[in-house]
Amino acid sequence: MYAAAAVGFSLVWGIMNVINIAHGTFIMLGAYTSYWLFVGPLHLDPFLSIPLSMLVMFAIAYVIQRFIINQVIRAPMLATFLLTFALSIMIANLAQIFWSSDVRSITTAYSGSSLAVGGLTIPWVRLWTLLVAVALTLGLQTFMTRSKIGRAIRATSMDVDAARLSGVGVAGIYALTFGIGGALAGAAGALASVSYAITPTMGDAFVVRAFIVSVLGGLGNVTGALVGGLVYGVIESFGALFFGEGYKDVVALAVLLLVILFRPYGLVGRATA
Amino acid sequence: MQAGGRLVVGIVIVLALSALLPPHLNGNWVHVLTLFFMMSSLAQAWNLIGGFTGYASFGNVTFFGTGAYACAYAMDAMRWPFWTAALFAVVVAAALAALLGWPILRLRGHYFAIATLSIAVGMQALVAQQEPFGKGSGMTLPINPNFHFFYWVMLGILIVSILLTAFIARSRFGYALVAIRENEEAAAVLGINAARAKVAAWAISAAITGAAGATFAYWNTFIDPPTVFDLNYNVLMIIMTLLGGAGTIVGPTIGSFILSAIGEYLGAQSISPWHTVVLGAIIVFIVILLPRGLMPYLTGGLRAFNLGALRAQLRASRV
């Protein structure tokens, strides 16, 4: 789950050098999209609504980048940081105004069931979440390395002016990248809608974790984000085990600080990357 | 900067005169103005590290919380009088900044922002686990029914922080900070000890923030981790500073005044979702259209408005 939340965040950060604080609210919007499709006349299963949720969030993120964030994309980093923060509080509060702050949840037929392997029981929902996260990550990785657009995106991240000279429409590429980040947030939201309570502020917890996971995995490193997500989950559980539940966040943030200070290029990255 | 100098002197005089106000105001206005002085002091403090030195700290609220808890502990457990406790809080906050700043201030840009952010969140979680600080349920302080007292103390902190900023801006130390902001390598080549200057700037910033935190604790008589380590304080410090003008002497106070006035107009007493949506829209407006804050307009009047320059600047910042 953390991996799914972090992949899009890491992509936007790595390619565009934008820390998208609003990523959490995109996840929240994705979760609501799944929720409305589930309670609506279609009664669509959250796992089946992933593509729709991704499409909706792609469109929203694309427009936001094209018309708002693009205005300050070359300004100092504090500008984009504050701008996405402002967008996130606006989106979260508009959601609260229109949908109220009631806690909603999705209960499917398979919600309680789990797979028993030896002495372990793994809830089906968790297993499917993991599979979808892995599939999305691999799909994105393939897209970025094999397709023409993926190559254009990577070229833009290396040198904006050189990419422009080679005929890349930079503004469009940025909007596309942000849109893909949004789509991944939409997918993460659809996944979250099954196992987490759906509220307008549900995204906050994901942003902090997306931060940590992205740094652990190395910025813009898509597969790194997947590895970082798994590592983080383990660290958090062990932190809770050894120091007590209350210290879970302290341990996680201490790990983040140490990684930033000693391995800022991530656990799996290289210094020259 | 003749006009700028006159503005600073004017604002300090207005603030000094406002010390005479409390007997003529009702309780609500005393509260509103005390809060305004506090937020202005926090923004002035942030400006030293974020505006002059160019290090966007998301961890300054840590020193607010630390100051509040140090003061509460000194007054509650050790029975110290407020002034001694506040001094203790200032020393603790500045020492913490120096200690954290040594490794953290080597980081730049996003990494510095994240590191400071995680310190702020981590400290809140850490303090919430400590038995002497009442764990998550917080601490209570002796009650001082004289609310004018807090008005004067916060006002004093604000005036001191403005005068300190004015003094720093004209000193060798201030020039060193600006040099670090513009180009840290070049500053080092010029013989500036960048590491020491940055840590000193953060420690001074933390001292002011800690003083405000200590006064807030005594004023509020009750503190708990989510209240005094509230990240919204940190965000407000930044927005107020940017609105007024980062790296200027009184910009943060002006930004704080405008945001406080807007908040009061919208009914800040009950923070509604619409209030926050409007705040968000204001931030978007500031970030895109006022990247240098209001300062050029305050010193140059409407002559500073130049549509051509604004469009050129927008063109340069987008792709």
Side-chain angles (χ1 to χ4, degrees), chain A residues 21-48:
Chain A
I21 308 284
H23 194 74
T25 55
F26 288 174
I27 294 176
M28 179 271 291
L29 291 177
Y32 270 94
T33 308
S34 286
Y35 175 78
W36 294 121
L37 287 169
F38 181 74
V39 296
L42 282 173
H43 206 67
L44 206 58
D45 186 277
F47 280 101
L48 295 177

Side-chain angles (χ1 to χ4, degrees), chain A residues 44-58:
Chain A
L44 206 58
D45 186 277
F47 280 101
L48 295 177
S49 66
I50 290 174
L52 283 170
S53 176
M54 287 177 77
L55 202 64
V56 170
M57 292 319 299
F58 177 87

Side-chain angles (χ1 to χ4, degrees), chain A residues 13 17 70-71 74 82 264, chain B residues 110-111 114 242 276 317-318:
Chain A
W13 191 356
N17 204 21
N70 195 30
Q71 304 300 328
R74 284 191 172 193
L82 274 179
Chain B
H110 287 154
Y111 285 105
I114 302 159
L242 292 188
T276 316
S317 61
R318 67 171 162 238

Side-chain angles (χ1 to χ4, degrees), chain A residues 117-160:
Chain A
V117 188
L120 292 166
T121 49
I122 307 163
W124 278 113
V125 170
R126 293 292 159 104
L127 198 62
W128 279 109
T129 304
L130 179 67
L131 286 179
V132 172
V134 171
L136 282 173
T137 311
L138 293 180
L140 182 66
Q141 179 74 10
T142 316
F143 173 75
M144 293 294 283
T145 47
R146 297 292 160 82
S147 75
K148 200 170 174 185
I149 298 174
R151 277 202 293 273
I153 290 176
R154 286 187 297 131
T156 310
S157 92
M158 286 171 196
D159 190 328
V160 172

Side-chain angles (χ1 to χ4, degrees), chain A residues 209 212 232 236 244-254, chain B residues 121-122 125:
Chain A
R209 282 165 179 74
I212 302 176
Y232 178 75
E236 206 179 56
E245 187 68 18
Y247 279 99
K248 206 166 81 168
D249 290 346
V250 181
V251 172
L253 291 160
Chain B
V121 180

Side-chain angles (χ1 to χ4, degrees), chain A residues 1-7 9-10 130 133-134 137 206 208-237 252 255-256 259 263 265-269:
Chain A
M1 185 59 233
Y2 293 152
V7 172
F9 183 83
S10 179
L130 179 67
V134 171
T137 311
F206 289 114
V208 178
R209 282 165 179 74
F211 251 130
I212 302 176
V213 170
S214 303
V215 173
L216 282 175
L219 285 189
N221 186 336
V222 173
T223 40
L226 188 67
V227 177
L230 298 176
V231 171
Y232 178 75
V234 173
I235 292 174
E236 206 179 56
S237 310
V255 169
L256 173 68
V259 172
R263 281 191 76 88
Y265 32 84
L267 290 178
V268 290

